[in-house]
Amino acid sequence: MSPSGPSRVNWVEELVRFLRTQPGVSAVRLDPSAHRVAVATVGPVELAAFEARLAEAIAAVEAQLTEGTIRTAPAGYSLRRDGGATVLERDSCATAEKLWLWRELRWPATRAEAVEEEREWRLLALLAGLCGAGGVAGVLAGYVAPAHPWEARAFFLPALVAGGWDAAKDTWENLREGRIDIHFLMLAVAAGAVCIDAWGEAVLLLFLFSISGAMEEYALDRTRREVSALLKTAPKQATVIHPGGREERVAVEQLALHQRVRVRPGEAFPSDGTVAAGRSASDESALTGEAVPVEKGRGDPVFSGTINLWGAIDFEVERLPAESTLQKIIRLIQTAQKLKAPSERFTARFGTGYTYAVIGAALAMFLFGWQVLHLAPFANPPGGRSAFYRAMTLMVVASPCALVLSIPSAILAAIAWGARHGVLFRGGAAIERLAGVDVVALDKTGTLTTGDLAVIGTESFPPGREREVLELAYALESKSDHPLARAIVRHAKAAGVALRELEDFQSLTGQGLRGRLDGTNLLLGRRELLERGPLGEWARRLPPAAAELSEVWVIGRDLVGRVLLKDEIRAESRGVLRSLRAMGVRTVMLTGDRRHAAEAVARELGLDEVRAGLSPEEKVAAIRALHLGGGTVAMVGDGVNDAPCLAAADVSVAMGARGSDAALEQAEVILMDDRIENFLAAQHLSRRARAIIRQNLAIALGVVVVMVAATAWGAVPLAAGVAAHEGSTVVVCLNSLRLLFGRNVRPAGS
């Protein structure tokens, strides 16, 4: 719709109409980008009574709300912005507002989902089929009874109605808003062909136009179905475990933080949480693209929408369903499908102006042929073509159908493929910019490394008692949930170390752990714990750990030792960086870690440059310096401290749905399940999408240029112009669909 069109205030009027019919509702808060809606009531109100009515109102105004346009509300109502949300409320006193109870509702199905359910392409295909059948019947009738042209027209007329039905609906809606587009052009050419008695060519035009429209809808429907699999994985009910072990089935919307929920084999996890009891494996393929089941045990995270495979699991809710990983992903995808790339916005603006230009050129050609070339104005002379016929042909071959579709069809297909394979794009702009990236800045911890420490060795003083050190560390750390403790416990179990029972276990806040074993006091903690004791002078002479290592000291009656740990480098990082260099992309590490630790990782991975010891502000400065150096910069990070530099980069990439909310808010591309190799998939996909967009533009513009030149010389019959125009549209759609089914952009190692 035109921003200045008269319907710009319809969304306000629609919501006011809703409030007038619902006296129990005082205000409505809508955030279309996050797909959240809430209503304010005074006291308890039965929500089901008006939820359907509100859903109708939102469905009617969603597209306008997304644009964030604020208009003046009618008397008695106020309209304001609340962060990213729009609030429409009845005028009331401040005291009344304090009594409002805000209650969140389920966001209704979006327009895209409604179209997906209806499968509009099936209706368009049916209409195109009826048009084609009527056209064939009309041609046959013309051959059988050439002396009775009305018999052929009896078949042609319903064929024209079927073929032009969808274009007529769109044209009528546009004309009411004072706009015209390519649908108007097609109907005008068809009407003109009928006026010069070219019924068969008019039917051919509308048949090819309607079948190409069905192809376009099929392509869009296919991309939506790729994403809708995520929506279907969202569970509707959950089994809550109350104190005492009583089970209760509740709707997922009723789950509360820290509740314990039981998930049986074959069921989906209803929210994000941490496993409290049980062992199993989950199928996270719909969420992350990971084909291999992920083992789950006590302390492991679980994610909404993933499937519990074989064992019953109890987990504690850590995020409400509305804020779960699955819902974040769904909102990201829905937002991405609405955000247009710069080139896509250009073609959208270009399409309307170009339509007027085509109509003007056709009128000029008609007048030139009639007045200058002295062609017959309407009736085709024997062996020639009238000025009106040539003008109609020009309108067909110059119409921008394929041009307008060339970019959005490829962008939507790329977004859908990425969503199903662990790469989430926040709109087409990210796809376009990522294709041109020539510098990639990466955080170290949690990006190039896993962020999980692993034991690489044990030392004892005196030497030779390393296994005893590990046994004591295992006994103490088995009682702790600290990340260092989990790493030591995991390593001890893998080494087959026996777990020994402690007495008088105690956690020393900020220092370490203490316990008794066989009557002997044990201590575990940092070096400072050892240096403050009676062995302090001796401890200060012990060799320090390497800069890239962490150490945990263990003190027994006649034994001192330490466990050395190191942040694990992602196994895939080396291959990803090697591939980026082969593509001509420069790699730079930006980290707040110590220089020695950062350089050790950089040497092992082969990074081009390292900048260590950086504060968040210094990371932002480094991104700006890289940009000023002439490069298009992508930043890959995962933590809260990475959010500022993600915002400063040309393309921001966050590691996984498990990354911090601050990083995800800034990210334009999200790599699911913390898989760094998905960055390569995103890079390949964006470059392939760019190539297909260029191919589509070349096809669309090439056909227009060739056919317009041929038409100017009068060498193109209308039927050939129709076939070339609609054929290029179909080719563009099919070419874009190659992105959806392509196999050469899969993540590395998958």
Side-chain angles (χ1 to χ4, degrees), residues 475-476 479 500-505 514-517 522:
L476 287 161
K479 307 293 185 181
R500 304 175 67 178
E501 288 299 324
L502 293 174
E503 301 171 359
D504 301 329
F505 174 81
R514 181 169 62 191
R516 290 175 60 84
L517 181 64
L522 302 178

Side-chain angles (χ1 to χ4, degrees), residues 92-418:
S92 59
C93 63
T95 303
E97 290 186 18
K98 293 178 181 178
L99 300 176
W100 286 357
L101 175 64
W102 284 99
R103 304 172 70 180
E104 190 158 327
L105 304 178
R106 184 188 298 274
W107 187 269
T110 64
R111 290 170 182 261
E113 293 166 343
V115 170
E116 194 279 330
E117 292 172 1
E118 296 172 7
R119 296 287 172 83
E120 186 175 347
W121 70 267
R122 294 183 184 274
L123 174 61
L124 293 178
L126 175 62
L127 291 174
L130 293 174
C131 179
V136 171
V139 171
L140 293 177
Y143 279 115
V144 172
H148 303 285
W150 60 268
E151 295 182 4
R153 293 172 186 170
F155 291 104
F156 284 144
L157 185 59
L160 289 171
V161 172
W165 182 262
D166 187 64
K169 287 197 306 177
D170 288 339
T171 298
W172 174 246
E173 292 177 4
N174 290 334
L175 287 176
R176 291 175 62 186
E177 297 177 8
R179 295 189 296 117
I180 61 174
D181 63 1
I182 55 176
H183 297 90
F184 176 85
L185 280 182
M186 295 302 100
L187 292 178
V189 174
V194 169
C195 291
I196 59 175
D197 206 27
W199 287 74
E201 289 161 320
V203 171
L204 176 63
L205 169 66
L206 293 182
F207 168 71
L208 291 176
F209 187 70
S210 58
I211 200 66
S212 67
M215 286 292 301
E216 175 191 352
E217 284 300 323
Y218 171 77
L220 299 181
D221 176 74
R222 187 67 179 83
T223 63
R224 293 180 189 121
R225 277 186 288 146
E226 290 288 321
V227 175
S228 67
L230 289 173
L231 296 169
K232 294 176 183 177
T233 62
K236 304 298 185 290
Q237 288 191 313
T239 302
V240 175
I241 309 300
H242 293 285
R246 181 174 64 88
E247 295 186 6
E248 181 187 4
R249 293 286 288 177
V250 301
V252 294
E253 293 84 359
Q254 299 177 20
L255 289 178
L257 291 175
H258 310 304
Q259 277 187 324
R260 181 169 285 206
V261 178
R262 180 163 295 164
V263 181
R264 294 179 170 83
E267 294 181 342
F269 290 97
S271 68
D272 291 2
T274 301
V275 176
R279 293 196 63 82
S280 183
S282 67
D283 178 2
E284 299 182 354
S285 58
L287 200 66
T288 67
E290 174 60 67
V292 179
V294 181
E295 294 287 334
K296 298 296 179 183
R298 189 174 184 275
D300 289 332
V302 293
F303 302 98
S304 172
T306 61
I307 307 299
N308 182 28
L309 294 179
W310 51 264
I313 279 184
D314 292 353
F315 75 94
E316 184 175 309
V317 176
E318 291 189 347
R319 284 179 178 171
L320 295 177
E323 295 302 320
S324 68
T325 298
L326 177 65
Q327 292 302 321
K328 284 183 181 180
I329 293 171
I330 290 170
R331 288 198 293 267
L332 283 171
I333 297 170
Q334 290 169 335
T335 303
Q337 290 179 325
K338 295 175 183 177
L339 295 177
K340 295 181 178 180
S343 57
E344 190 178 353
R345 293 194 295 268
F346 169 75
T347 56
R349 294 193 302 268
F350 173 76
T352 300
Y354 184 79
T355 300
Y356 286 103
V358 169
I359 294 174
L363 178 61
M365 174 172 276
F366 170 72
L367 295 175
F368 181 81
W370 179 23
Q371 298 296 327
V372 178
L373 300 181
H374 304 294
L375 299 175
F378 296 103
N380 288 337
R385 298 184 179 90
S386 67
F388 188 75
Y389 188 98
R390 290 190 179 191
M392 291 297 101
T393 304
L394 177 67
M395 287 181 69
V396 171
V397 300
S399 294
C401 295
L403 181 64
V404 171
L405 286 175
S406 58
I407 296 173
S409 59
I411 293 294
L412 285 175
I415 289 173
W417 188 96

Side-chain angles (χ1 to χ4, degrees), residues 452-674:
D452 295 326
L453 294 172
V455 176
I456 65 164
T458 307
E459 295 179 350
S460 68
F461 304 93
R465 302 175 65 183
E466 288 78 9
R467 189 167 182 89
E468 290 181 57
V469 171
L470 185 57
E471 285 181 358
L472 298 181
Y474 182 24
L476 287 161
E477 295 285 32
S478 64
K479 307 293 185 181
S480 173
D481 285 328
H482 191 277
L484 289 174
R486 291 197 293 269
I488 291 173
V489 169
R490 186 168 57 245
H491 177 76
K493 287 180 178 179
V497 174
L499 178 60
R500 304 175 67 178
E501 288 299 324
L502 293 174
E503 301 171 359
D504 301 329
F505 174 81
Q506 184 180 2
S507 176
L508 306 175
T509 304
Q511 299 181 56
L513 307 172
R514 181 169 62 191
R516 290 175 60 84
L517 181 64
D518 298 333
T520 301
N521 288 325
L522 302 178
L523 283 175
L524 179 146
R526 298 179 297 177
R527 177 184 285 264
E528 291 82 356
L529 189 66
L530 183 63
E531 292 176 345
R532 285 198 297 265
L535 300 176
E537 189 63 32
W538 171 78
R540 280 186 281 272
R541 294 197 299 268
L542 290 173
E548 68 270 17
L549 301 181
S550 298
E551 57 182 0
V552 175
W553 286 88
V554 180
I555 307 171
R557 181 173 57 187
D558 59 351
L559 176 65
V560 175
R562 64 181 175 184
V563 181
L564 299 173
L565 303 98
K566 183 180 180 181
D567 190 2
E568 289 186 288
I569 292 176
R570 293 184 186 275
E572 304 82 8
S573 294
R574 188 176 292 102
V576 169
L577 296 176
R578 188 186 308 116
S579 298
L580 288 174
R581 283 197 302 275
M583 296 164 62
V585 177
R586 181 178 165 218
T587 56
V588 181
M589 179 195 293
L590 303 181
T591 179
D593 207 347
R594 295 166 296 175
R595 173 161 294 278
H596 291 302
E599 289 179 345
V601 172
R603 283 193 300 271
E604 189 169 346
L605 294 178
L607 283 150
D608 294 322
E609 184 181 347
V610 178
R611 301 189 185 189
L614 302 179
S615 65
E617 293 80 8
E618 290 170 334
K619 282 188 176 184
V620 171
I623 290 290
R624 289 174 177 165
L626 291 171
H627 181 73
L628 292 174
T632 301
V633 182
M635 173 67 196
V636 186
D638 71 321
V640 174
N641 64 327
D642 293 324
C645 53
L646 285 171
D650 296 302
V651 184
S652 51
V653 184
M655 288 295 295
R658 307 180 197 187
S660 71
D661 288 343
L664 292 179
E665 284 296 322
Q666 295 296 337
E668 297 170 287
V669 184
I670 295 177
L671 312 180
M672 296 306 301
D673 203 30
D674 293 344

Side-chain angles (χ1 to χ4, degrees), residues 677-717:
E677 65 270 31
N678 277 356
F679 182 77
L680 273 185
Q683 186 82 356
H684 286 304
L685 179 63
S686 61
R687 291 191 175 195
R688 183 168 162 78
R690 181 177 64 179
I692 284 183
I693 287 172
R694 289 174 175 174
Q695 293 167 12
N696 287 346
L697 291 173
I699 293 169
L701 291 174
V703 169
V704 168
V705 170
V706 171
M707 296 305 293
V708 166
T711 302
W713 286 97
V716 179

